[in-house]
Amino acid sequence: MISLNTLNRRRILKGMLGGSAVTIALPFLDCFLDVNGTALASGAQLPVCMGTWFWGLGLNPGRWEPPTAGKITGFGPELAGLEPYKDKVNVYSGTKVILDGRPMITHFTGDWAVLTGTTPREERVIIPSVDQLVADVIGTKTRFRSLEVTSTGNAVHSYSRRAGAAVNPAETSPVALYTRIFGPEFKDPNAADFKPDPQVMARQSVLSAVKDQRDDLAKTLGAADKARLDEYFSSLRQIEQQLDLELQKPAPLEACTTPAKADEMPPGTEIETVVGNHKLFANLLAHALACGQTRVINVTFNDATSSLRKAGSSMSHHVFTHEESIDPQLGYQPNVTSFIMNISQGLGTMIGALDSIKEGDGTLLDRMMLMASTDTGYAKVHSLDNMPLITAGRAGGRVKTGIHVVAKGDPSTRVGLTVQQAVGVPINSWGTDSMQTSKTFTEVLA
């Protein structure tokens, strides 16, 4: 029997599965929180978390911004995927990247200026991205300092960078991320002695390996915590079942014949694959945050020179932005906009995953600060004006949400500075040259 005196936030359930150790950390249950469900039982505040969510090729001006400044009553059609969360996000329009006379490096200058606070002089960044500045403050005591993923299948599609030229490579496989999170320790998945078998783990379920501990734990909990734990474990099992399907060999179809070999497409760039992998990543990262495995995440939905494709098409999202004509009746590029709608829905999926995990009287999203950014304002002309920027979550009550902030040509670094201060980074100014700012968006700070 587990004693209530030994039950605390740092407790994990351990077991063996397929000859390998597995661990499951516990989410925030009511028994860890104060009577209001808004802080730890000790009186300490719930730890704040931060993340970046990157997409490539911007949005179409006039089609994403909320209609008025102030309270968000709705979005432009290209942000329709955020409609269920309009009271939980902030939208920033009108910010820009200032070049200071330097040449613009297309699909590079914009994203790195937003994420590092400086306009690159060449295709090389030597200062850390905003997420790593945050990780230096809030990510030093967790199992993973930060977790990076990309839905494109290409590990170099990461926009998280330490000082120097070192990019934090992104995890490309939800199965591999699952194994890293629930394996016994953080290990290099490329190491020769990396033993956990994801197929065994997903098929048999890590939950089965800790069944006795789960049962003992349940005996010590009240009805509300039992229900919350069951909901949490059910969610995890659903992820495992999805991963198990991906690991299975498809059943043979007699009518299927092997066609002539075609040119191989880059892995993971068909929009259906990207959407599916992103959903799995979103749920896994939400679990990792909820269980204190990390406090900083970085998600790439699609790369800056977006390689997204529709099934059966050789035309990428990037190519469409340059070659597709604007429909004279619609007033926009139909194929480009189709990709944008998938991106918008993907951001909604990420926000929804964070909001689905209940913590006390709120959700994981309430102590989260997620910053979504891109590389350009209007991709057709590589504009660096009116850069779309979105934040989601209240950073533990430090941020007010449901607000459309209209900037008037201010540097986009104002958003990055606001995010850093909201999650507790002791910083008064951020950026270099004309991108330097000491002004936060005070209208969203509580």
Side-chain angles (χ1 to χ4, degrees):
M1 178 74 70
I2 296 174
S3 166
L4 282 174
N5 292 328
T6 64
L7 184 60
N8 58 60
R9 176 68 181 98
R10 300 183 67 83
R11 184 177 180 85
I12 60 174
L13 307 183
K14 294 184 178 183
M16 297 294 294
L17 189 67
S20 297
V22 295
T23 61
I24 299 180
L26 298 178
F28 278 113
L29 303 175
D30 287 346
C31 60
F32 301 139
L33 306 176
D34 66 6
V35 293
N36 297 317
T38 57
L40 296 174
S42 65
Q45 293 298 305
L46 297 178
V48 69
C49 298
M50 183 266 182
T52 64
W53 195 93
F54 180 85
W55 83 95
L57 300 185
L59 300 171
N60 289 314
R63 288 183 49 79
W64 59 274
E65 304 91 331
T68 59
K71 181 178 175 58
I72 296 175
T73 57
F75 300 98
E78 291 181 4
L79 287 186
L82 303 188
E83 191 65 32
Y85 311 105
K86 65 183 179 183
D87 295 329
K88 300 185 178 185
V89 304
N90 292 325
V91 175
Y92 307 81
S93 63
T95 71
K96 65 186 296 184
V97 170
I98 303 170
L99 295 175
D100 286 320
R102 302 185 187 101
M104 179 181 66
I105 307 169
T106 57
H107 308 296
F108 184 84
T109 294
D111 44 314
W112 287 114
V114 170
L115 292 171
T116 69
T118 191
T119 306
R121 293 167 172 77
E122 56 183 336
E123 288 193 36
R124 185 172 178 268
V125 177
I126 60 173
I127 60 177
S129 51
V130 62
D131 61 286
Q132 294 303 300
L133 295 175
V134 172
D136 285 341
V137 176
I138 68 172
T140 59
K141 296 181 180 180
T142 52
R143 181 177 166 208
F144 300 95
R145 189 177 182 282
S146 63
L147 286 172
E148 288 73 39
V149 303
T150 179
S151 302
T152 65
N154 190 335
V156 302
H157 293 160
S158 171
Y159 296 85
S160 172
R161 189 180 299 261
R162 295 292 295 157
V167 174
N168 292 325
E171 183 61 75
T172 62
S173 164
V175 173
L177 180 64
Y178 166 83
T179 307
R180 288 176 65 189
I181 292 173
F182 297 108
E185 303 283 349
F186 168 62
K187 293 185 179 180
D188 181 354
N190 298 315
D193 61 348
F194 188 61
K195 294 178 180 178
D197 184 340
Q199 186 160 351
V200 171
M201 291 174 66
R203 186 159 299 159
Q204 296 183 11
S205 173
V206 298
L207 299 178
S208 66
V210 296
K211 181 181 184 303
D212 291 342
Q213 294 183 67
R214 289 171 57 198
D215 292 343
D216 285 345
L217 172 62
K219 294 174 184 177
T220 69
L221 302 176
D225 275 345
K226 285 181 182 178
R228 184 159 293 172
L229 202 62
D230 285 344
E231 181 180 1
Y232 176 78
F233 285 149
S234 295
S235 174
L236 173 58
R237 185 59 187 139
Q238 289 173 358
I239 295 173
E240 290 178 328
Q241 289 168 344
Q242 288 178 279
L243 294 174
D244 184 25
L245 289 174
E246 290 195 357
L247 290 166
Q248 293 180 28
K249 181 180 179 180
L253 298 174
E254 293 183 2
C256 180
T257 59
T258 304
K261 183 177 180 180
D263 291 337
E264 185 177 356
M265 298 279 283
T269 58
E270 285 192 359
I271 189 62
E272 293 82 3
T273 300
V274 169
V275 168
N277 282 335
H278 174 263
K279 183 177 181 180
L280 286 168
F281 275 135
N283 288 326
L284 283 167
L285 289 171
H287 277 74
L289 290 165
C291 291
Q293 302 299 285
T294 190
R295 291 185 187 171
V296 179
I297 62 170
N298 297 287
V299 180
T300 299
F301 185 85
N302 62 311
D303 51 307
T305 53
S306 179
S307 48
L308 296 179
R309 288 174 169 79
K310 296 180 181 180
S313 173
S314 61
M315 291 279 284
S316 70
H317 177 196
H318 184 200
V319 172
F320 274 122
T321 63
H322 294 295
E323 297 188 4
E324 184 179 25
S325 300
I326 296 175
D327 185 287
Q329 293 184 325
L330 296 174
Y332 55 83
Q333 299 165 297
N335 282 295
V336 171
T337 301
S338 174
F339 286 112
I340 288 174
M341 300 305 288
N342 287 126
I343 292 167
S344 167
Q345 290 162 8
L347 180 55
T349 296
M350 184 73 245
I351 296 171
L354 297 169
D355 199 39
S356 70
I357 296 181
K358 296 180 178 62
E359 294 183 345
D361 295 335
T363 71
L364 172 61
L365 183 62
D366 290 324
R367 61 183 177 97
M368 186 74 188
M369 183 85 280
L370 183 72
M371 183 177 84
S373 65
T374 185
D375 66 305
T376 185
Y378 183 30
K380 188 173 180 61
V381 296
H382 297 134
S383 169
L384 295 180
D385 295 321
N386 196 21
M387 297 288 287
L389 284 157
I390 301 159
T391 60
R394 296 188 174 94
R398 302 172 190 175
V399 171
K400 296 177 286 187
T401 54
I403 301 170
H404 173 209
V405 178
V406 179
K408 298 180 179 179
D410 293 336
S412 58
T413 41
R414 286 191 67 189
V415 177
L417 177 63
T418 303
V419 166
Q420 290 178 74
Q421 288 195 3
V423 298
V425 177
I427 186 172
N428 293 319
S429 66
W430 185 55
T432 62
D433 300 322
S434 296
M435 292 292 287
Q436 188 276 334
T437 184
S438 57
K439 294 173 61 179
T440 58
F441 285 112
T442 56
E443 50 265 69
V444 305
L445 292 175

